[in-house]
Amino acid sequence: MQRQLNEQSGEQTKHGLAAGDVQPERPDWTIDQGWANYTVEEHAVWRTLFQRQSKLLPGRACDEFVEGMKNLPIGPDQIPDFRSLSEVLMKATGWQVVAVPGLVPDDVFFEHLANRRFPAGHFIRKPHELDYLEEPDVFHDVFGHVPMLMNPVIADYIQAYGQGGLRAKNLGVLDKLARVYWYTVEFGLVRQADGIRIYGAGIASSFTESVFALDDPSPNRIGFELDRVMRTHYRIDDFQESYFVINDLDELLSLAHIDFAPNYERVKALPDYQPGTVLATDRVLHRGTGRHHHDKNPGAHA
Ligand SMILES: [Fe+2]
């Protein structure tokens, strides 16, 4: 699972725990990664995940992801040391990776991003749960997110999300902003010369979804449009029913620099869309069959 908003209540988000659930040692919730404490078994889980994902991603991950990965000290042998990652990242885009014990409260999360610190879970999933995660672990956060943070556009975009997060929270529209993050940073697809590619960390770090998102006939693949995405619920318990496709990473650069306030104003008064809905106004690249989700829940309406 990824950092996500609880769509039902719109109150507590799953960037985090509700403040008060757990008492952090430091006010910014960071901890030491404790790299020397990883066990042989934990490094082995990393290796398994790294190797199977590395085989899958050529021809699927976007060029910027591949480029970022190439220039980082991330390899199959061991869980990366955040200090080494931060050294390289800092030189490239001014970002660093900080360790956190798991989910953190929203305002803490936004504060980190606004200051170009990416909070990464320091723990790794267990060998028997390679494809199931309740909280983002070091593989999701490092393998999925950090390569894209080497890219200047994504670097600016995620910082802008942090800056916009607190504002959106105060305006009572955090659910709208969180959907934008979800359908870009976590589950975004991008058009490249040779086809649609992955840039979202939730897909890039998932063995099953990196195939489903690109190749499966079930999900919709729709051209990204800001207001439309702000109004669209997402799945937190399964693959996405719709993926939104940007034409170029530079499309995110313009999003990093505009004020979302007029968009919030517009969409606040309008109804939300269900994850699988396709609109007449959508720029549909692929109209999904919906089969995956239908087969799991035959009684449900699309
Ligand atoms: Fe994530």
mmCIF file of all heavy atoms in Angstrom, residues 2-3 140-141 145 186, ligand 1:
data_model
loop_
_atom_site.group_PDB
_atom_site.id
_atom_site.type_symbol
_atom_site.label_atom_id
_atom_site.label_comp_id
_atom_site.label_asym_id
_atom_site.label_seq_id
_atom_site.Cartn_x
_atom_site.Cartn_y
_atom_site.Cartn_z
ATOM 1 N N GLN A 2 0.259 2.327 -0.362
ATOM 2 C CA GLN A 2 1.048 3.554 -0.463
ATOM 3 C C GLN A 2 0.531 4.562 0.541
ATOM 4 O O GLN A 2 -0.396 4.308 1.277
ATOM 5 C CB GLN A 2 0.917 4.118 -1.873
ATOM 6 C CG GLN A 2 0.695 3.098 -2.942
ATOM 7 C CD GLN A 2 1.720 1.999 -2.949
ATOM 8 O OE1 GLN A 2 2.859 2.242 -2.586
ATOM 9 N NE2 GLN A 2 1.342 0.803 -3.327
ATOM 10 N N ARG A 3 1.141 5.714 0.494
ATOM 11 C CA ARG A 3 0.640 6.795 1.326
ATOM 12 C C ARG A 3 -0.714 7.197 0.749
ATOM 13 O O ARG A 3 -0.835 7.489 -0.417
ATOM 14 C CB ARG A 3 1.585 7.985 1.272
ATOM 15 C CG ARG A 3 2.973 7.553 1.582
ATOM 16 C CD ARG A 3 3.905 8.703 1.780
ATOM 17 N NE ARG A 3 5.195 8.178 2.158
ATOM 18 C CZ ARG A 3 5.494 7.765 3.379
ATOM 19 N NH1 ARG A 3 4.631 7.873 4.335
ATOM 20 N NH2 ARG A 3 6.670 7.270 3.645
ATOM 21 N N HIS A 140 9.294 -0.220 -1.318
ATOM 22 C CA HIS A 140 8.399 0.703 -2.002
ATOM 23 C C HIS A 140 8.997 2.107 -2.035
ATOM 24 O O HIS A 140 9.053 2.758 -3.083
ATOM 25 C CB HIS A 140 7.018 0.756 -1.329
ATOM 26 C CG HIS A 140 6.194 1.895 -1.822
ATOM 27 N ND1 HIS A 140 5.507 1.861 -3.010
ATOM 28 C CD2 HIS A 140 6.000 3.139 -1.319
ATOM 29 C CE1 HIS A 140 4.917 3.020 -3.213
ATOM 30 N NE2 HIS A 140 5.202 3.828 -2.197
ATOM 31 N N ASP A 141 9.422 2.586 -0.878
ATOM 32 C CA ASP A 141 9.857 3.978 -0.782
ATOM 33 C C ASP A 141 11.168 4.250 -1.524
ATOM 34 O O ASP A 141 11.312 5.285 -2.162
ATOM 35 C CB ASP A 141 9.997 4.386 0.695
ATOM 36 C CG ASP A 141 8.635 4.728 1.307
ATOM 37 O OD1 ASP A 141 7.735 5.151 0.562
ATOM 38 O OD2 ASP A 141 8.475 4.582 2.538
ATOM 39 N N HIS A 145 10.256 5.249 -5.244
ATOM 40 C CA HIS A 145 10.225 6.719 -5.271
ATOM 41 C C HIS A 145 11.561 7.394 -5.586
ATOM 42 O O HIS A 145 11.594 8.410 -6.270
ATOM 43 C CB HIS A 145 9.749 7.259 -3.922
ATOM 44 C CG HIS A 145 8.273 7.139 -3.709
ATOM 45 N ND1 HIS A 145 7.360 7.950 -4.363
ATOM 46 C CD2 HIS A 145 7.540 6.320 -2.923
ATOM 47 C CE1 HIS A 145 6.136 7.630 -3.974
ATOM 48 N NE2 HIS A 145 6.207 6.638 -3.108
ATOM 49 N N GLU A 186 2.119 8.208 -7.236
ATOM 50 C CA GLU A 186 2.002 6.790 -6.901
ATOM 51 C C GLU A 186 1.610 5.906 -8.092
ATOM 52 O O GLU A 186 2.147 4.831 -8.263
ATOM 53 C CB GLU A 186 0.984 6.585 -5.764
ATOM 54 C CG GLU A 186 1.399 7.187 -4.429
ATOM 55 C CD GLU A 186 2.602 6.490 -3.776
ATOM 56 O OE1 GLU A 186 3.112 5.506 -4.334
ATOM 57 O OE2 GLU A 186 3.035 6.966 -2.713
HETATM 58 FE FE FE B 1 4.573 5.819 -2.037
#
